[in-house]
Structures are given as structure tokens and as C-alpha cells.
Amino acid sequence: MSKPDRPVHSRGKNCQATRTFFVSSATWARRSLFQSERMARLFLEVLSGYRAQGRYMLHEFVLMREHFHVLISVPPGLSVERAVQLMKGGFSYRAKQELGIHGEIWQRGFSDEYVTDAAGYRARCEYIRQNPVRAGFARAPQDYPYGSVGSGVETDPMPEHLRG
């Protein structure tokens, strides 16, 4: 899947339109941090909490042992960088406060792809859903408890700007 060109205005906080991104990030040194139920559930709480606050639309996600993928739309005035900072920083803060985790949790940065159309959106949804199946953690997406299909976490439908 090739990475579509990103308009210069699509990232920044001054953007006037909703934008959709496929985002991936890994744990520090790719440690299997999320094989613990407590850690995984806390990440899902953080992810859904910021969605509930309207900080971003959450379309699809999967949390693997040492990384995550999300398909999100960020509203005008919010950058994708800020949305990811909320996810990663919010989780780090709570993990340190509530679970006594010390040291680095996340690898620096993240990767993102700007999603420009419905076909690209659907392809990334399928990639996310199949990630635990390809890794051998589930037979079907709905069998994996830390993905958008099997977790019970509420998600948002395809955004209007991608429907064609």
C-alpha cells in the first residue's frame, strides 16, 4: 500500500477540515508490554476516553503486545501529533500513577499515513482487523479482545469526508 501525498495543511493544528490517519506506534525497545491484561485494558480505557471527549474519532484499532495501530479522524484545530500525544502520554501517565510502571514506555515518535478516500480507509480497516489473525493470536478478528471488533470499545463509522 503506497503512502498518499499529504497536503501541507493536513497535519497542523490550524487545519480547517477533519482529516483521517492510519497511525502506528511501538513500545520502548519493542517490549511486550501489552501481554498483561491490566496494561492492555488501561490502554483501551485511555483510547476510548479521549474518543468520548471528542478529541478524535476512533474508527478502528488493534493493540498488539508491543505496538498499536489506530485509524482516527482528527477534528479541525487538532493535529495528528496532538491526538497521538494524548493516547501515548495519557497512557504513560496513568500507567505510572495507577500501575506503578517506571521507565520508558513508548518508542519515540510514530508513523502515520494520511487517508484520502474510502478505498484507502477500507484497506486500512482490514489491515487492522487482520493484524492479530496474521500474528496467530486469534482465528478471527472478533476473537481478539484488544481490537475494535472484539473488545466492546465503541468506535465511529467512516467519516463523511471519505464517503464518495
Side-chain angles (χ1 to χ4, degrees), residues 16-42:
Q16 300 299 309
T18 298
R19 291 97 52 228
T20 300
F21 297 92
F22 171 76
V23 175
S24 302
S25 191
T27 59
W28 183 258
R30 297 206 55 103
R31 291 181 307 174
S32 293
L33 193 64
F34 297 110
Q35 63 187 9
S36 154
E37 175 82 12
R38 292 183 326 153
M39 296 290 273
R41 288 287 162 207
L42 182 60

PDB file of all heavy atoms in Angstrom, residues 16-42:
ATOM      1  N   GLN A  16      -8.535  23.478   8.781  1.00  0.00           N
ATOM      2  CA  GLN A  16      -9.959  23.785   8.904  1.00  0.00           C
ATOM      3  C   GLN A  16     -10.864  22.599   8.602  1.00  0.00           C
ATOM      4  O   GLN A  16     -12.076  22.743   8.592  1.00  0.00           O
ATOM      5  CB  GLN A  16     -10.308  24.948   7.954  1.00  0.00           C
ATOM      6  CG  GLN A  16      -9.535  26.212   8.248  1.00  0.00           C
ATOM      7  CD  GLN A  16      -9.805  26.734   9.643  1.00  0.00           C
ATOM      8  OE1 GLN A  16     -10.957  26.884  10.041  1.00  0.00           O
ATOM      9  NE2 GLN A  16      -8.762  26.999  10.403  1.00  0.00           N
ATOM     10  N   ALA A  17     -10.287  21.435   8.333  1.00  0.00           N
ATOM     11  CA  ALA A  17     -11.093  20.270   7.969  1.00  0.00           C
ATOM     12  C   ALA A  17     -10.719  19.061   8.829  1.00  0.00           C
ATOM     13  O   ALA A  17      -9.612  18.965   9.350  1.00  0.00           O
ATOM     14  CB  ALA A  17     -10.871  19.944   6.495  1.00  0.00           C
ATOM     15  N   THR A  18     -11.647  18.126   8.925  1.00  0.00           N
ATOM     16  CA  THR A  18     -11.369  16.850   9.584  1.00  0.00           C
ATOM     17  C   THR A  18     -10.475  16.033   8.670  1.00  0.00           C
ATOM     18  O   THR A  18     -10.680  16.010   7.458  1.00  0.00           O
ATOM     19  CB  THR A  18     -12.693  16.107   9.848  1.00  0.00           C
ATOM     20  OG1 THR A  18     -13.483  16.907  10.725  1.00  0.00           O
ATOM     21  CG2 THR A  18     -12.448  14.749  10.478  1.00  0.00           C
ATOM     22  N   ARG A  19      -9.471  15.387   9.236  1.00  0.00           N
ATOM     23  CA  ARG A  19      -8.544  14.548   8.473  1.00  0.00           C
ATOM     24  C   ARG A  19      -8.479  13.168   9.114  1.00  0.00           C
ATOM     25  O   ARG A  19      -8.617  13.043  10.320  1.00  0.00           O
ATOM     26  CB  ARG A  19      -7.119  15.124   8.453  1.00  0.00           C
ATOM     27  CG  ARG A  19      -6.968  16.383   7.668  1.00  0.00           C
ATOM     28  CD  ARG A  19      -7.035  17.661   8.526  1.00  0.00           C
ATOM     29  NE  ARG A  19      -6.143  17.688   9.664  1.00  0.00           N
ATOM     30  CZ  ARG A  19      -6.512  18.023  10.901  1.00  0.00           C
ATOM     31  NH1 ARG A  19      -7.738  18.357  11.172  1.00  0.00           N
ATOM     32  NH2 ARG A  19      -5.656  18.041  11.876  1.00  0.00           N
ATOM     33  N   THR A  20      -8.211  12.157   8.298  1.00  0.00           N
ATOM     34  CA  THR A  20      -8.160  10.781   8.778  1.00  0.00           C
ATOM     35  C   THR A  20      -6.764  10.227   8.591  1.00  0.00           C
ATOM     36  O   THR A  20      -6.140  10.440   7.546  1.00  0.00           O
ATOM     37  CB  THR A  20      -9.201   9.915   8.036  1.00  0.00           C
ATOM     38  OG1 THR A  20     -10.491  10.477   8.280  1.00  0.00           O
ATOM     39  CG2 THR A  20      -9.175   8.474   8.517  1.00  0.00           C
ATOM     40  N   PHE A  21      -6.286   9.502   9.616  1.00  0.00           N
ATOM     41  CA  PHE A  21      -4.930   8.964   9.615  1.00  0.00           C
ATOM     42  C   PHE A  21      -4.913   7.526  10.108  1.00  0.00           C
ATOM     43  O   PHE A  21      -5.647   7.165  11.034  1.00  0.00           O
ATOM     44  CB  PHE A  21      -4.017   9.784  10.540  1.00  0.00           C
ATOM     45  CG  PHE A  21      -3.847  11.199  10.117  1.00  0.00           C
ATOM     46  CD1 PHE A  21      -4.688  12.184  10.601  1.00  0.00           C
ATOM     47  CD2 PHE A  21      -2.836  11.557   9.229  1.00  0.00           C
ATOM     48  CE1 PHE A  21      -4.529  13.502  10.219  1.00  0.00           C
ATOM     49  CE2 PHE A  21      -2.669  12.872   8.848  1.00  0.00           C
ATOM     50  CZ  PHE A  21      -3.520  13.851   9.328  1.00  0.00           C
ATOM     51  N   PHE A  22      -4.037   6.745   9.508  1.00  0.00           N
ATOM     52  CA  PHE A  22      -3.678   5.415   9.990  1.00  0.00           C
ATOM     53  C   PHE A  22      -2.385   5.623  10.766  1.00  0.00           C
ATOM     54  O   PHE A  22      -1.391   6.081  10.209  1.00  0.00           O
ATOM     55  CB  PHE A  22      -3.468   4.469   8.810  1.00  0.00           C
ATOM     56  CG  PHE A  22      -2.888   3.138   9.192  1.00  0.00           C
ATOM     57  CD1 PHE A  22      -3.671   2.173   9.789  1.00  0.00           C
ATOM     58  CD2 PHE A  22      -1.560   2.852   8.941  1.00  0.00           C
ATOM     59  CE1 PHE A  22      -3.134   0.931  10.129  1.00  0.00           C
ATOM     60  CE2 PHE A  22      -1.016   1.625   9.277  1.00  0.00           C
ATOM     61  CZ  PHE A  22      -1.808   0.663   9.873  1.00  0.00           C
ATOM     62  N   VAL A  23      -2.390   5.336  12.058  1.00  0.00           N
ATOM     63  CA  VAL A  23      -1.257   5.619  12.941  1.00  0.00           C
ATOM     64  C   VAL A  23      -0.758   4.327  13.573  1.00  0.00           C
ATOM     65  O   VAL A  23      -1.556   3.472  13.969  1.00  0.00           O
ATOM     66  CB  VAL A  23      -1.670   6.613  14.058  1.00  0.00           C
ATOM     67  CG1 VAL A  23      -0.547   6.831  15.055  1.00  0.00           C
ATOM     68  CG2 VAL A  23      -2.136   7.934  13.466  1.00  0.00           C
ATOM     69  N   SER A  24       0.565   4.204  13.671  1.00  0.00           N
ATOM     70  CA  SER A  24       1.195   3.070  14.344  1.00  0.00           C
ATOM     71  C   SER A  24       2.260   3.580  15.284  1.00  0.00           C
ATOM     72  O   SER A  24       2.949   4.559  14.975  1.00  0.00           O
ATOM     73  CB  SER A  24       1.856   2.130  13.328  1.00  0.00           C
ATOM     74  OG  SER A  24       0.927   1.660  12.398  1.00  0.00           O
ATOM     75  N   SER A  25       2.405   2.908  16.418  1.00  0.00           N
ATOM     76  CA  SER A  25       3.470   3.244  17.351  1.00  0.00           C
ATOM     77  C   SER A  25       3.849   1.996  18.132  1.00  0.00           C
ATOM     78  O   SER A  25       3.024   1.086  18.307  1.00  0.00           O
ATOM     79  CB  SER A  25       3.041   4.353  18.312  1.00  0.00           C
ATOM     80  OG  SER A  25       4.154   4.831  19.036  1.00  0.00           O
ATOM     81  N   ALA A  26       5.095   1.956  18.598  1.00  0.00           N
ATOM     82  CA  ALA A  26       5.626   0.779  19.288  1.00  0.00           C
ATOM     83  C   ALA A  26       6.080   1.135  20.696  1.00  0.00           C
ATOM     84  O   ALA A  26       6.380   2.290  21.008  1.00  0.00           O
ATOM     85  CB  ALA A  26       6.803   0.202  18.503  1.00  0.00           C
ATOM     86  N   THR A  27       6.158   0.119  21.520  1.00  0.00           N
ATOM     87  CA  THR A  27       6.673   0.283  22.876  1.00  0.00           C
ATOM     88  C   THR A  27       8.191   0.446  22.840  1.00  0.00           C
ATOM     89  O   THR A  27       8.846   0.101  21.848  1.00  0.00           O
ATOM     90  CB  THR A  27       6.323  -0.933  23.755  1.00  0.00           C
ATOM     91  OG1 THR A  27       6.893  -2.106  23.166  1.00  0.00           O
ATOM     92  CG2 THR A  27       4.830  -1.089  23.916  1.00  0.00           C
ATOM     93  N   TRP A  28       8.728   0.964  23.926  1.00  0.00           N
ATOM     94  CA  TRP A  28      10.171   1.156  24.066  1.00  0.00           C
ATOM     95  C   TRP A  28      10.879  -0.183  23.877  1.00  0.00           C
ATOM     96  O   TRP A  28      10.523  -1.171  24.518  1.00  0.00           O
ATOM     97  CB  TRP A  28      10.477   1.746  25.434  1.00  0.00           C
ATOM     98  CG  TRP A  28      11.920   2.038  25.635  1.00  0.00           C
ATOM     99  CD1 TRP A  28      12.804   1.295  26.341  1.00  0.00           C
ATOM    100  CD2 TRP A  28      12.646   3.135  25.120  1.00  0.00           C
ATOM    101  NE1 TRP A  28      14.034   1.865  26.295  1.00  0.00           N
ATOM    102  CE2 TRP A  28      13.974   3.006  25.549  1.00  0.00           C
ATOM    103  CE3 TRP A  28      12.309   4.237  24.324  1.00  0.00           C
ATOM    104  CZ2 TRP A  28      14.962   3.922  25.222  1.00  0.00           C
ATOM    105  CZ3 TRP A  28      13.285   5.152  23.999  1.00  0.00           C
ATOM    106  CH2 TRP A  28      14.588   4.987  24.449  1.00  0.00           C
ATOM    107  N   ALA A  29      11.842  -0.219  22.976  1.00  0.00           N
ATOM    108  CA  ALA A  29      12.623  -1.424  22.673  1.00  0.00           C
ATOM    109  C   ALA A  29      11.724  -2.600  22.277  1.00  0.00           C
ATOM    110  O   ALA A  29      12.112  -3.741  22.417  1.00  0.00           O
ATOM    111  CB  ALA A  29      13.525  -1.807  23.838  1.00  0.00           C
ATOM    112  N   ARG A  30      10.523  -2.279  21.831  1.00  0.00           N
ATOM    113  CA  ARG A  30       9.526  -3.280  21.394  1.00  0.00           C
ATOM    114  C   ARG A  30       9.263  -4.341  22.469  1.00  0.00           C
ATOM    115  O   ARG A  30       9.069  -5.509  22.187  1.00  0.00           O
ATOM    116  CB  ARG A  30       9.919  -3.883  20.059  1.00  0.00           C
ATOM    117  CG  ARG A  30       9.923  -2.792  18.991  1.00  0.00           C
ATOM    118  CD  ARG A  30       9.708  -3.192  17.599  1.00  0.00           C
ATOM    119  NE  ARG A  30       8.545  -3.938  17.230  1.00  0.00           N
ATOM    120  CZ  ARG A  30       7.475  -3.405  16.615  1.00  0.00           C
ATOM    121  NH1 ARG A  30       7.418  -2.113  16.390  1.00  0.00           N
ATOM    122  NH2 ARG A  30       6.498  -4.177  16.228  1.00  0.00           N
ATOM    123  N   ARG A  31       9.244  -3.872  23.724  1.00  0.00           N
ATOM    124  CA  ARG A  31       8.908  -4.783  24.834  1.00  0.00           C
ATOM    125  C   ARG A  31       7.457  -5.219  24.726  1.00  0.00           C
ATOM    126  O   ARG A  31       6.604  -4.449  24.326  1.00  0.00           O
ATOM    127  CB  ARG A  31       9.108  -4.072  26.174  1.00  0.00           C
ATOM    128  CG  ARG A  31      10.544  -3.786  26.516  1.00  0.00           C
ATOM    129  CD  ARG A  31      10.639  -3.121  27.849  1.00  0.00           C
ATOM    130  NE  ARG A  31       9.743  -1.934  27.853  1.00  0.00           N
ATOM    131  CZ  ARG A  31       9.495  -1.196  28.900  1.00  0.00           C
ATOM    132  NH1 ARG A  31      10.027  -1.477  30.051  1.00  0.00           N
ATOM    133  NH2 ARG A  31       8.700  -0.160  28.823  1.00  0.00           N
ATOM    134  N   SER A  32       7.178  -6.434  25.132  1.00  0.00           N
ATOM    135  CA  SER A  32       5.815  -6.982  25.093  1.00  0.00           C
ATOM    136  C   SER A  32       5.011  -6.480  26.289  1.00  0.00           C
ATOM    137  O   SER A  32       4.570  -7.256  27.145  1.00  0.00           O
ATOM    138  CB  SER A  32       5.867  -8.513  25.081  1.00  0.00           C
ATOM    139  OG  SER A  32       6.434  -8.963  23.888  1.00  0.00           O
ATOM    140  N   LEU A  33       4.816  -5.206  26.329  1.00  0.00           N
ATOM    141  CA  LEU A  33       4.160  -4.540  27.456  1.00  0.00           C
ATOM    142  C   LEU A  33       2.685  -4.912  27.578  1.00  0.00           C
ATOM    143  O   LEU A  33       2.147  -4.996  28.676  1.00  0.00           O
ATOM    144  CB  LEU A  33       4.302  -3.029  27.264  1.00  0.00           C
ATOM    145  CG  LEU A  33       3.995  -2.115  28.405  1.00  0.00           C
ATOM    146  CD1 LEU A  33       4.961  -2.351  29.555  1.00  0.00           C
ATOM    147  CD2 LEU A  33       4.089  -0.672  27.940  1.00  0.00           C
ATOM    148  N   PHE A  34       2.039  -5.163  26.453  1.00  0.00           N
ATOM    149  CA  PHE A  34       0.595  -5.358  26.477  1.00  0.00           C
ATOM    150  C   PHE A  34       0.170  -6.820  26.479  1.00  0.00           C
ATOM    151  O   PHE A  34      -0.948  -7.139  26.116  1.00  0.00           O
ATOM    152  CB  PHE A  34      -0.047  -4.589  25.315  1.00  0.00           C
ATOM    153  CG  PHE A  34       0.168  -3.112  25.440  1.00  0.00           C
ATOM    154  CD1 PHE A  34       1.007  -2.451  24.573  1.00  0.00           C
ATOM    155  CD2 PHE A  34      -0.434  -2.394  26.456  1.00  0.00           C
ATOM    156  CE1 PHE A  34       1.225  -1.095  24.695  1.00  0.00           C
ATOM    157  CE2 PHE A  34      -0.230  -1.036  26.598  1.00  0.00           C
ATOM    158  CZ  PHE A  34       0.604  -0.386  25.714  1.00  0.00           C
ATOM    159  N   GLN A  35       1.049  -7.705  26.928  1.00  0.00           N
ATOM    160  CA  GLN A  35       0.595  -9.083  27.138  1.00  0.00           C
ATOM    161  C   GLN A  35      -0.081  -9.203  28.495  1.00  0.00           C
ATOM    162  O   GLN A  35      -0.744 -10.185  28.791  1.00  0.00           O
ATOM    163  CB  GLN A  35       1.731 -10.079  26.980  1.00  0.00           C
ATOM    164  CG  GLN A  35       2.853  -9.945  27.952  1.00  0.00           C
ATOM    165  CD  GLN A  35       4.005 -10.878  27.582  1.00  0.00           C
ATOM    166  OE1 GLN A  35       4.032 -11.484  26.533  1.00  0.00           O
ATOM    167  NE2 GLN A  35       4.959 -10.980  28.475  1.00  0.00           N
ATOM    168  N   SER A  36       0.051  -8.164  29.319  1.00  0.00           N
ATOM    169  CA  SER A  36      -0.642  -8.101  30.607  1.00  0.00           C
ATOM    170  C   SER A  36      -2.050  -7.535  30.394  1.00  0.00           C
ATOM    171  O   SER A  36      -2.221  -6.491  29.757  1.00  0.00           O
ATOM    172  CB  SER A  36       0.153  -7.189  31.562  1.00  0.00           C
ATOM    173  OG  SER A  36      -0.687  -6.622  32.536  1.00  0.00           O
ATOM    174  N   GLU A  37      -3.036  -8.215  30.940  1.00  0.00           N
ATOM    175  CA  GLU A  37      -4.431  -7.773  30.841  1.00  0.00           C
ATOM    176  C   GLU A  37      -4.615  -6.361  31.415  1.00  0.00           C
ATOM    177  O   GLU A  37      -5.301  -5.533  30.833  1.00  0.00           O
ATOM    178  CB  GLU A  37      -5.330  -8.771  31.594  1.00  0.00           C
ATOM    179  CG  GLU A  37      -6.778  -8.376  31.681  1.00  0.00           C
ATOM    180  CD  GLU A  37      -7.581  -8.710  30.437  1.00  0.00           C
ATOM    181  OE1 GLU A  37      -7.084  -9.447  29.573  1.00  0.00           O
ATOM    182  OE2 GLU A  37      -8.718  -8.213  30.344  1.00  0.00           O
ATOM    183  N   ARG A  38      -3.984  -6.092  32.558  1.00  0.00           N
ATOM    184  CA  ARG A  38      -4.114  -4.760  33.190  1.00  0.00           C
ATOM    185  C   ARG A  38      -3.608  -3.657  32.273  1.00  0.00           C
ATOM    186  O   ARG A  38      -4.241  -2.621  32.126  1.00  0.00           O
ATOM    187  CB  ARG A  38      -3.344  -4.692  34.510  1.00  0.00           C
ATOM    188  CG  ARG A  38      -3.918  -5.545  35.606  1.00  0.00           C
ATOM    189  CD  ARG A  38      -3.179  -5.398  36.923  1.00  0.00           C
ATOM    190  NE  ARG A  38      -1.745  -5.163  36.776  1.00  0.00           N
ATOM    191  CZ  ARG A  38      -0.992  -4.524  37.650  1.00  0.00           C
ATOM    192  NH1 ARG A  38      -1.527  -4.054  38.756  1.00  0.00           N
ATOM    193  NH2 ARG A  38       0.285  -4.372  37.454  1.00  0.00           N
ATOM    194  N   MET A  39      -2.453  -3.883  31.673  1.00  0.00           N
ATOM    195  CA  MET A  39      -1.873  -2.865  30.790  1.00  0.00           C
ATOM    196  C   MET A  39      -2.736  -2.669  29.548  1.00  0.00           C
ATOM    197  O   MET A  39      -3.003  -1.536  29.138  1.00  0.00           O
ATOM    198  CB  MET A  39      -0.452  -3.266  30.386  1.00  0.00           C
ATOM    199  CG  MET A  39       0.509  -3.338  31.537  1.00  0.00           C
ATOM    200  SD  MET A  39       0.887  -1.724  32.209  1.00  0.00           S
ATOM    201  CE  MET A  39       2.243  -1.287  31.150  1.00  0.00           C
ATOM    202  N   ALA A  40      -3.166  -3.767  28.954  1.00  0.00           N
ATOM    203  CA  ALA A  40      -3.978  -3.684  27.737  1.00  0.00           C
ATOM    204  C   ALA A  40      -5.300  -2.979  28.013  1.00  0.00           C
ATOM    205  O   ALA A  40      -5.712  -2.087  27.261  1.00  0.00           O
ATOM    206  CB  ALA A  40      -4.215  -5.083  27.177  1.00  0.00           C
ATOM    207  N   ARG A  41      -5.967  -3.345  29.081  1.00  0.00           N
ATOM    208  CA  ARG A  41      -7.259  -2.717  29.412  1.00  0.00           C
ATOM    209  C   ARG A  41      -7.092  -1.224  29.714  1.00  0.00           C
ATOM    210  O   ARG A  41      -7.941  -0.414  29.342  1.00  0.00           O
ATOM    211  CB  ARG A  41      -7.921  -3.428  30.591  1.00  0.00           C
ATOM    212  CG  ARG A  41      -8.451  -4.776  30.242  1.00  0.00           C
ATOM    213  CD  ARG A  41      -9.707  -4.675  29.393  1.00  0.00           C
ATOM    214  NE  ARG A  41      -9.951  -5.942  28.721  1.00  0.00           N
ATOM    215  CZ  ARG A  41     -10.598  -6.060  27.581  1.00  0.00           C
ATOM    216  NH1 ARG A  41     -11.091  -5.004  26.991  1.00  0.00           N
ATOM    217  NH2 ARG A  41     -10.785  -7.231  27.028  1.00  0.00           N
ATOM    218  N   LEU A  42      -6.005  -0.866  30.377  1.00  0.00           N
ATOM    219  CA  LEU A  42      -5.768   0.549  30.658  1.00  0.00           C
ATOM    220  C   LEU A  42      -5.577   1.334  29.365  1.00  0.00           C
ATOM    221  O   LEU A  42      -6.115   2.432  29.207  1.00  0.00           O
ATOM    222  CB  LEU A  42      -4.554   0.728  31.580  1.00  0.00           C
ATOM    223  CG  LEU A  42      -4.244   2.170  31.971  1.00  0.00           C
ATOM    224  CD1 LEU A  42      -5.412   2.814  32.722  1.00  0.00           C
ATOM    225  CD2 LEU A  42      -2.979   2.226  32.815  1.00  0.00           C
TER     226      LEU A  42
END
